[in-house]
């Protein structure tokens, strides 16, 4: 028995055009970093904290400006006036109160951003909280006093985030829990 050839219908595979092979898109990859010649030096990018205003703000002579800054549970009360750049905190020199370079950097950020660290004397009373939150509350208070001294510096200080009172504080302990949200360990029996 020989198989008879089947009649090809109009929908047979022969009549259909051949399917194009699927085109794969090349995988997205990061281009290799272009190497710079050794003799060309690049300038380091300027961070916003180090950005200094074009013109240092004018400092009124003889006037004293008062401001309060807060962070967590610490409060900083600051008196700012024109002078030679002396900073006194709780009747101690600045470097003796904030001994680490990081805390000194945080505390001076508002003054440095406006280029006033050598032209203002600052007296401060800090209380409550830890040393780190005191440095941040000091920065907040100094930024507020700089605005009362020169309202034009508001834009720079606001952009750097020194005027925002950080609202994050420790959450209170709840009854039946070990801490604010930590539940006691579950025991099946």
């Amino acid at each position: 028995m020989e198989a008879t050839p089947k009649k090809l219908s109009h929908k047979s595979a022969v009549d259909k055009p051949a399917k194009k092979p699927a085109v794969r898109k090349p995988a997205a990859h990061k281009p290799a970093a272009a190497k710079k010649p050794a003799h060309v030096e690049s300038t380091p990018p300027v961070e916003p904290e180090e950005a200094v205003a074009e013109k240092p703000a004018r400092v009124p002579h003889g006037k004293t400006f008062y401001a309060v800054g807060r962070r967590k549970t610490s409060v900083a009360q600051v008196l700012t006036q024109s002078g030679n750049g002396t900073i006194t905190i709780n009747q101690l020199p600045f470097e003796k109160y904030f001994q680490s370079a990081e805390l000194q950097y945080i505390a001076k950020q508002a003054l440095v951003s406006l280029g006033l660290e050598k032209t203002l004397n600052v007296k401060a009373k800090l209380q409550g909280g830890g040393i780190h939150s005191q440095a941040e509350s000091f920065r907040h208070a100094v930024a507020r006093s700089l605005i009362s001294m020169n309202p034009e510096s508001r834009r720079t200080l606001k952009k750097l985030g020194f005027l925002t009172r950080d609202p994050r504080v420790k959450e209170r302990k709840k009854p039946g829990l070990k801490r604010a949200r930590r539940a006691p360990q579950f025991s099946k029996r």
Side-chain angles (χ1 to χ4, degrees):
M1 286 204 234
E2 284 187 35
T4 57
K6 292 184 179 178
K7 289 185 180 177
L8 295 173
S9 67
H10 68 282
K11 292 184 178 179
S12 72
V14 177
D15 293 339
K16 288 184 182 177
K19 276 190 173 180
K20 292 181 184 177
V23 179
R24 293 178 120 195
K25 292 183 181 177
H29 60 84
K30 296 178 183 174
K35 291 186 178 180
K36 293 184 181 179
H39 66 278
V40 177
E41 291 182 23
S42 63
T43 57
V46 177
E47 295 181 15
E49 288 85 342
E50 297 174 7
V52 178
E54 273 103 43
K55 295 187 283 184
R58 284 184 31 235
V59 179
H61 189 70
K63 285 191 175 180
T64 303
F65 297 91
Y66 173 80
V68 176
R70 293 184 178 88
R71 171 76 168 99
K72 292 187 179 179
T73 58
S74 65
V75 179
Q77 298 171 322
V78 167
L79 287 171
T80 311
Q81 58 190 20
S82 62
N84 58 0
T86 306
I87 301 175
T88 308
I89 299 172
N90 291 352
Q91 300 172 350
L92 289 173
F94 179 75
E95 288 78 17
K96 192 161 187 168
Y97 194 83
F98 293 126
Q99 294 184 353
S100 74
E102 180 189 2
L103 295 177
Q104 291 176 10
Y105 172 75
I106 290 169
K108 277 190 173 181
Q109 275 181 315
L111 291 169
V112 171
S113 65
L114 295 177
L116 297 173
E117 67 272 15
K118 301 283 185 206
T119 58
L120 290 177
N121 286 351
V122 180
K123 280 186 182 177
K125 180 180 158 191
L126 300 182
Q127 54 196 2
I131 193 77
H132 199 280
S133 69
Q134 284 185 353
E136 292 185 12
S137 67
F138 177 79
R139 177 181 68 190
H140 187 225
V142 168
R144 283 181 163 183
S145 71
L146 291 174
I147 284 200
S148 60
M149 182 184 302
N150 184 11
E152 295 168 5
S153 59
R154 180 179 179 82
R155 177 176 286 174
T156 307
L157 294 171
K158 184 77 173 171
K159 189 176 181 181
L160 295 172
F162 300 152
L163 297 176
T164 307
R165 198 285 197 214
D166 194 343
R168 297 175 296 173
V169 293
K170 190 168 178 72
E171 194 175 333
R172 81 173 200 85
K173 184 193 176 304
K174 314 297 185 310
L177 300 181
K178 292 191 170 229
R179 298 194 301 258
R181 300 186 187 205
R182 168 80 166 102
Q185 184 173 350
F186 173 73
S187 173
K188 198 171 221 176
R189 286 179 245 309

